[in-house]
Amino acid sequence: MAMDPAARIYWADGAGSRAVFTSLQAVLQELRTPFLGDRAVALYRPTGMSPSHGYFVLSDSCDVEGPAAMGNERLVLNQRLDLDQPRTVSGLSATSTLRPFTLVLDSAVSIPWQDPYGRGVALIGVQDANSAMPDLSDQLHRAEIGRLVETLNASRLQGTLALQRNLGDAVRAVLDSGPTGVGRMGRLTSLVASAREIFGSDTAYLALPEESETTKYYFASMANVNTPQFRQLRMRFEQGLGGLARSEGKVVRTLRYADDDRLKAPPVSETLVEGISSAMAAPLFSGGAVRGVIYIGNRTPTPFSETDERVLEEFAEYLGLLMGEPHYQDAVRESQSTRLREDFAHAIHDSVVRSLVQIGFTAEQASASAQHEATSQSIAQIQVAAEEALTTLREELSGLILHPSTGVTELGAVVEQITDVPLRPGAERNIYLSPVIEHETLPHNVAEVLVQVGVEALTNSLRHAAAQTERVEIISGPDTVELLISDDGHGSAQLQGALEGLVRGGHFGLSSMFRRASSVNGHLDVTSSPDAGTTVHLRVPRTW
C-alpha cells in the first residue's frame, strides 16, 4: 500500500506513545509566561475533518486545579476560531466528546499554524474573569509559535521511530514464539500478547472462523479477558465491532462500545460485564479474504487516534502474512479442538453439575429439618452421593480443558473455570490475575486441584454465605502457586475444624478440598467467622 511522504509520519500520539503531548507541554508552559496565562492548550484539526467536529488535543499545560485535557481527546468549541491569523477571543469554552469535561478560558489569545497534516491552534489564556490578558499586539512577538511547530515536528518523528521499533519487536516476538509457543495455543497466545503490549491496552483478543463454519467467529485466543460470558461468545461475521471491520475492510474504532449505533447486533451485555468500553478491531486478510479479526480493548473510555488505527493496520498486515504459514495453521486447528472440548465441558457443567449442586443443597436443608433419625440418615446418604458424583464429574470436566499433548493448563484457563460458578444476584466478584502470569502454565494435576478447590469455595459461598462481594486471586511466586477465595458473607467458626470434624459435621465439600490439597502436597487454610466472612487460602509448592 503506497503512502504519500506526509503519511509516513504519525501526526498524533498513539499506541502508548506520548511524545507529542509531553514535548509540547514544555513549550506551552513557556508560551504562557509572556501572556501571564494560567492555561495553554494546543488543538489540531487534521485535513479532511469537518469544522463541526471540533479539534483534537495535542497537549495541555495548566496551573489551575482540576483535570487536564487528554491527548487525542476531541473538544467541540462554542465559537469558530480564525485559523488564518492570531486573534484575541473571550468567553471560550471547549467541551469534550469523551467525558464530562469542559475547558473554559475567559479571555485568550489564539495563534494558528498549518502543516502538511492539517491546521493547529495554540490557545493561551486565563480562566479567571477578573484577570485581564495583556494586549495581543504587545506580546505576540514573544509567542514563538515557530518553536512550537518545530517541537511538534520533532516529537512526531520521535514518536514515529519509537512506534516502528515497538511494532518490529512485536512481530519478532510472534515469530520467535516458535511452532508451539507456551500453553494451549502457542503462537496465537503470543500474537494477542504482542498486540496488547504494543498499545498498552487492557485486553486483546483474536476471532477466527469456527471449523467448517463460514458464518461465525469464536475467540481463539485472549489476553486479560476474565468473564466466561465474554470468553464463550460466538459472533456472526456481521456482528459487533469485528463485523464492522470486516464489512468495511479496514481498522475501526469505537469510543463507547455500548452506545455505538454503527454496530449490528453487538453483544453489549457480555461486553459490559467484561468491562470493555473502548476498542479497535482490524480485519486479517490472507489470500484476498478476511480470515480473522484482531481486537484491542480498554476498560476506560479511550480516545484512540488515527495513529492507533495505522499501527494496528500495520500489525494486522504482518499477521495476515503469517496466516498461511504451517505452524500458524497447526495452532488454529488446536484452538478449534480446544474450543470444542470446552464447549462440551460447559454444556455438562450448565446441566448436570448445577443439578447435582441443587440436589446436595436440597438434601442438606431436608436433613436439617428431618424429624426422625432414619429419615435424616437416608437424606444424608443422598447428600454424600451427590457430593461424590459432583467431585467425580468436576474432575472429568477439568480434564477436558487440558492440552492433549503437554498436560498443562494456563492460569487464565484455571480462573475461567473457577469463575464459571454462578454469582449470587446483586453480588460482585473481583478477579485478580496479573497479565504477566495469565499465560503461565501448571501441570494438569495441580491445575485440577486449584480448579476443584476454587469451585468448591465459590459454590459454598453461593449456597451459604449470602455474600455481597467475592474475591478470586491467584499468586505465582518462585516457590509456590497460591489461590485465595474470600467473601464478606456469613461465615462460621465450625469451618475451621480438623478434617475429621468436618466429615462428622457433614461438611463433605470442605473436607474434600483438604484431601485435594494434600494430593499435591499443598497446604489449605480456611478462616471463617459470622461477622468477617470466609477466606480459603491454598498454597501449592513448586515441585515440577
Side-chain angles (χ1 to χ4, degrees):
M1 181 175 61
M3 295 189 294
D4 60 77
R8 293 193 178 96
I9 298 293
Y10 303 125
W11 65 262
D13 281 335
S17 170
R18 285 176 55 87
V20 171
F21 191 96
T22 303
S23 297
L24 289 190
Q25 197 171 43
V27 178
L28 291 175
Q29 175 71 29
E30 294 183 16
L31 286 175
R32 286 167 41 196
T33 303
F35 289 101
L36 306 178
D38 50 30
R39 184 165 217 149
V41 60
L43 305 180
Y44 198 78
R45 178 185 296 156
T47 301
M49 180 175 171
S50 169
S52 63
H53 289 170
Y55 297 83
F56 290 108
V57 174
L58 292 181
S59 190
D60 184 22
S61 171
C62 180
D63 286 340
V64 178
E65 290 186 5
M70 297 169 56
N72 301 323
E73 183 173 22
R74 185 160 60 89
L75 302 181
V76 177
L77 277 59
N78 66 339
Q79 56 187 277
R80 184 180 291 270
L81 298 178
D82 189 336
L83 296 182
D84 293 320
Q85 56 185 328
R87 297 286 188 184
T88 56
V89 294
S90 60
L92 179 71
S93 66
T95 302
S96 172
T97 61
L98 174 68
R99 57 188 173 131
F101 170 77
T102 299
L103 184 154
V104 177
L105 293 174
D106 187 70
S107 58
V109 171
S110 68
I111 308 175
W113 79 87
Q114 185 173 1
D115 61 31
Y117 312 98
R119 290 175 174 268
V121 59
L123 297 172
I124 307 105
V126 293
Q127 300 183 199
D128 184 355
N130 297 318
S131 299
M133 286 287 291
D135 181 72
L136 173 62
S137 60
D138 291 338
Q139 299 293 342
L140 178 58
H141 66 282
R142 302 182 188 177
E144 298 183 24
I145 194 67
R147 196 162 81 84
L148 185 146
V149 175
E150 290 177 2
T151 302
L152 175 60
N153 291 335
S155 64
R156 283 170 170 167
L157 179 58
Q158 175 189 350
T160 296
L161 294 175
L163 291 178
Q164 290 293 343
R165 284 195 299 269
N166 293 344
L167 187 60
D169 290 344
V171 173
R172 281 191 292 274
V174 175
L175 295 174
D176 291 345
S177 64
T180 57
V182 179
R184 295 177 296 162
M185 288 170 272
R187 185 159 285 178
L188 303 188
T189 298
S190 176
L191 186 154
V192 295
S194 295
R196 185 175 175 222
E197 185 173 349
I198 290 174
F199 294 91
S201 60
D202 292 329
T203 67
Y205 35 102
L206 172 69
L208 295 176
E210 293 186 325
E211 186 177 16
S212 302
E213 178 61 73
T214 58
T215 61
K216 289 183 180 179
Y217 285 127
Y218 73 104
F219 289 148
S221 188
M222 292 156 280
N224 199 33
V225 171
N226 301 317
T227 58
Q229 296 96 317
F230 195 87
R231 284 179 171 268
Q232 295 164 25
L233 275 174
R234 274 186 170 84
M235 305 278 289
R236 296 191 305 275
F237 281 177
E238 71 273 12
Q239 269 188 275
L241 193 65
L244 182 63
R246 179 185 174 88
S247 64
E248 295 193 358
K250 65 178 184 179
V251 177
V252 294
R253 46 181 158 149
T254 182
L255 182 62
R256 295 184 181 87
Y257 185 92
D259 301 327
D260 196 330
D261 57 11
R262 301 172 302 162
L263 310 183
K264 295 181 180 179
V268 172
S269 60
E270 293 88 348
T271 304
L272 289 178
V273 168
E274 180 60 35
I276 297 172
S277 175
S278 300
M280 293 198 301
L284 303 179
F285 287 93
S286 181
V290 178
R291 304 297 184 185
V293 179
I294 182 73
Y295 302 76
I296 65 164
N298 281 334
R299 295 189 169 91
T300 55
T302 303
F304 290 120
S305 68
E306 181 181 306
T307 297
D308 289 304
E309 282 192 1
R310 287 176 53 195
V311 172
L312 185 57
E313 178 185 17
E314 292 179 49
F315 186 59
E317 288 177 356
Y318 285 117
L319 299 183
L321 296 175
L322 291 176
M323 297 186 78
E325 189 252 356
H327 293 321
Y328 176 89
Q329 294 297 325
D330 291 342
V332 170
R333 284 189 287 271
E334 184 176 326
S335 169
Q336 291 168 337
S337 175
T338 298
R339 181 59 184 252
L340 290 174
R341 295 197 306 273
E342 289 182 346
D343 285 347
F344 177 73
H346 286 302
I348 296 298
H349 179 276
D350 290 343
S351 56
V352 181
V353 169
R354 292 183 181 179
S355 296
L356 288 172
V357 169
Q358 186 61 43
I359 291 171
F361 185 35
T362 303
E364 184 178 13
Q365 292 181 315
S367 178
S369 59
Q371 301 295 319
H372 302 288
E373 180 66 23
T375 302
S376 178
Q377 290 179 352
S378 296
I379 294 174
Q381 291 176 351
I382 295 174
Q383 182 183 359
V384 171
E387 293 281 359
E388 290 176 348
L390 187 61
T391 298
T392 300
L393 187 56
R394 280 176 175 158
E395 290 173 351
E396 295 296 327
L397 294 181
S398 296
L400 288 175
I401 58 88
L402 297 180
H403 188 291
S405 60
T406 62
V408 296
T409 304
E410 293 180 358
L411 286 175
V414 169
V415 171
E416 177 187 348
Q417 291 180 85
I418 292 173
T419 53
D420 268 352
V421 175
L423 188 60
R424 181 172 175 269
E428 177 183 359
R429 177 177 293 160
N430 298 312
I431 301 170
Y432 297 88
L433 178 66
S434 169
V436 176
I437 65 170
E438 180 182 2
H439 298 293
E440 182 180 316
T441 57
L442 298 177
H444 72 276
N445 62 321
V446 175
E448 283 182 299
V449 169
L450 262 66
V451 169
Q452 292 159 357
V453 170
V455 166
E456 188 66 46
L458 289 182
T459 301
N460 287 338
S461 178
L462 172 66
R463 289 165 56 182
H464 306 299
Q468 293 299 313
T469 304
E470 298 174 347
R471 178 187 177 99
V472 178
E473 181 176 8
I474 289 184
I475 302 170
S476 178
D479 302 317
T480 60
V481 174
E482 303 180 41
L483 169 68
L484 290 98
I485 308 283
S486 61
D487 65 52
D488 61 356
H490 307 306
S492 171
Q494 297 178 355
L495 299 181
Q496 301 181 149
L499 179 59
E500 295 78 7
L502 293 173
V503 175
R504 287 196 301 271
H507 300 289
F508 300 103
L510 193 59
S511 63
S512 69
M513 291 164 61
F514 279 92
R515 285 194 292 269
R516 291 165 186 158
S518 65
S519 71
V520 290
N521 298 316
H523 180 76
L524 184 69
D525 284 320
V526 179
T527 58
S528 186
S529 66
D531 57 351
T534 300
T535 297
V536 174
H537 188 181
L538 171 64
R539 300 180 186 86
V540 180
R542 287 186 176 275
T543 57
W544 56 90

